[in-house]
Amino acid sequence: MAPTFQTCIHLIFLGTTLFSTAPIHRRFVQASSPSIQALVAPITKDTETSLYTLSLSRKQYLLDLSGPLLWSPCSAAHPTVPCSSGECAAASGAPKFHNRRCTCTARPANPVTGERAFGDLTRIDIATNATDGKTPTAEVTVHGLLSSCAPESLLRSFPSSATGDAGLGRGRVSLPTQLFSKLSLKRQFAICLPSTAAAPGVAFFGNGPYGLMPPTPFDASAILSYTRLVKNPRNPSAYSIRLRGIAVNQEAVRLPPGALDRGGGVTLDTALPYTVLRRDVYRPFVEAFARATALIPRVPSARPFEVCFNSSALGFTRVGYAVAPVDLMTTTKARGGGGGNWTVFGSNSLAQVAPDTACLAFVDGGWAAPSAVAVGGFQMENNLLLFDEAASRLGFSGTLLFTRTTCANFNFSGN
């Protein structure tokens, strides 16, 4: 039986939002207003780590797409959860006895280093904003979200601004799952990762539209293609898809039979700065890309990348450097239509590592890599990704640069 969560929500319709000091002129809304359809929160790129944080309650949490739960260091006085509760079972918690009381402990994990710890399961309040898909409309505080305490040391290798981990995975107590339950939101969320630290990207929880601005406002969900989300037995909280192949410059890469299905298959992971390929997938892919770009002058490798170019010799287009496109060839159509390839152009395939050096931003994960392909954050930047749990499908826009917009173009100011 699914756990039941007590719901307490505060709505404050203000002249400012959580994300901006600029005034927003709105009318006050009566208590009988329609229920919240979606929440919105900014995503920031950290220059030093190339990871991303999600802003909640004016704090920064690591954006952890595969994480099963929220966690952060707790104060000495924090609420606990009984070990016999449904919430404890949902969090796969373990009992802890103290003064004849049995409370629940969880196992928070650092997705960057792989470290794990024990911490009390607790409850926290999260503040963010409701949205109509175009701007923030009201400050929302959701009370009593389940979270795990964690030692400060578990924040190692996170962006320096991060105070915890926002697990967005498929777990029963992940952040999206709890928000869906508490606010009766449609069971889907979208992320749009920014490519720089200069302006934030955006996360939506709940129904669309998912509006982006210049040159003209449009609903980015209208341009999505879809493929099916599949279960990953090695990592049940991960979002996984199936690929029928990879192509470079529209020519299929010759991979060993079944290579993309073995192990953890194909996952999406924002705790990886760049896409990581298992060795039997990486070598044929890199060799195919090297052949397709053989006429472009090379420069020495720059770790962790192998194939690097003299960027002054590269042409430039609206979608980044003019190099051979990479197609992630998705499989059967998901419910609701769609299908097709997720095409990666130069803006998401080549990383600028020095003023005159750009490198193929795919990393050799070795033979022990947990997934054949783990799509990292760089390849997701300026792409809208919709995780539709209700229909068990992934929506992907491809690069938004074709539509002359970016993930940094949500109107957080409300002006």
Side-chain angles (χ1 to χ4, degrees):
M1 181 180 294
T4 58
F5 301 109
Q6 293 182 339
T7 303
C8 184
I9 307 163
H10 287 164
L11 292 174
I12 306 174
F13 294 84
L14 301 173
T16 59
T17 74
L18 286 169
F19 315 127
S20 173
T21 57
I24 300 175
H25 302 291
R26 310 192 206 285
R27 62 183 179 84
F28 285 92
V29 181
Q30 300 300 319
S32 59
S33 298
S35 60
I36 298 168
Q37 296 299 305
L39 301 177
V40 66
I43 298 171
T44 302
K45 182 171 184 177
D46 178 66
T47 304
E48 186 158 337
T49 62
S50 295
L51 299 174
Y52 311 87
T53 57
L54 183 69
S55 180
L56 301 167
S57 302
R58 297 186 176 88
K59 297 178 182 177
Q60 299 297 317
Y61 290 79
L62 182 76
L63 182 73
D64 183 3
L65 187 57
S66 298
L69 80 167
L70 278 163
W71 62 258
S72 61
C74 293
S75 62
H78 58 266
T80 56
V81 175
C83 63
S84 59
S85 65
E87 291 96 334
C88 187
S92 301
K96 182 179 79 171
F97 294 91
H98 180 69
N99 292 336
R100 297 185 178 181
R101 290 182 64 242
C102 182
T103 58
C104 186
T105 61
R107 290 297 308 275
N110 180 319
V112 181
T113 65
E115 296 173 85
R116 297 178 68 88
F118 288 96
D120 287 343
L121 192 65
T122 187
R123 292 185 177 91
I124 64 171
D125 300 338
I126 288 294
T128 185
N129 273 59
T131 183
D132 58 4
K134 301 174 183 177
T135 64
T137 56
E139 183 177 316
V140 178
T141 299
V142 186
H143 296 272
L145 289 170
L146 291 174
S147 178
S148 175
C149 297
E152 292 275 356
S153 60
L154 205 60
L155 296 170
R156 189 178 298 116
S157 300
F158 279 19
S160 59
S161 63
T163 61
D165 182 291
L168 305 185
R170 307 186 84 176
R172 295 170 66 193
V173 294
S174 71
L175 176 62
T177 300
Q178 294 192 71
L179 293 176
F180 300 156
S181 174
K182 284 181 173 288
L183 280 68
S184 299
L185 300 176
K186 187 174 181 180
R187 291 174 52 231
Q188 64 182 41
F189 71 95
I191 61 172
C192 204
L193 301 183
S195 58
T196 73
V202 61
F204 299 95
F205 298 92
N207 209 357
Y210 306 133
L212 297 172
M213 292 192 298
T216 57
F218 85 109
D219 177 8
S221 67
I223 62 172
L224 298 180
S225 298
Y226 294 92
T227 192
R228 192 166 286 127
L229 287 170
V230 297
K231 299 293 184 182
N232 184 340
R234 290 194 173 190
N235 186 356
S237 65
Y239 295 95
S240 299
I241 60 174
R242 285 200 172 95
L243 297 180
R244 56 190 170 86
I246 299 174
V248 174
N249 215 21
Q250 300 183 328
E251 183 175 332
V253 177
R254 292 190 175 185
L255 300 174
L260 295 173
D261 298 322
R262 287 201 294 273
V266 180
T267 59
L268 290 86
D269 192 348
T270 52
L272 294 172
Y274 306 98
T275 293
V276 175
L277 308 177
R278 196 178 57 225
R279 179 71 54 80
D280 58 330
V281 178
Y282 176 80
R283 286 258 53 95
F285 167 71
V286 166
E287 290 165 5
F289 195 87
R291 288 194 300 272
T293 55
L295 298 180
I296 303 173
R298 298 287 200 276
V299 296
S301 300
R303 294 186 64 184
F305 308 125
E306 178 179 340
V307 178
C308 297
F309 304 95
N310 179 348
S311 57
S312 63
L314 291 166
F316 203 80
T317 72
R318 186 192 304 176
V319 292
Y321 284 122
V323 292
V326 175
D327 284 311
L328 303 180
M329 302 162 65
T330 62
T331 55
T332 56
K333 294 180 181 179
R335 181 155 46 114
N341 295 340
W342 181 352
T343 303
V344 180
F345 293 95
S347 60
N348 295 104
S349 65
L350 294 192
Q352 194 78 40
V353 299
D356 59 351
T357 302
C359 298
L360 180 64
F362 292 75
V363 177
D364 182 0
W367 292 105
S371 301
V373 178
V375 180
F378 184 77
Q379 278 68 38
M380 301 183 208
E381 290 178 354
N382 291 321
N383 286 245
L384 182 78
L385 298 175
L386 173 65
F387 299 86
D388 185 345
E389 283 283 52
S392 193
R393 62 181 183 169
L394 170 72
F396 54 96
S397 67
T399 179
L400 293 169
L401 300 181
F402 269 127
T403 58
R404 298 183 185 274
T405 192
T406 71
C407 287
N409 280 341
F410 180 75
N411 184 13
F412 279 113
S413 72
N415 295 326

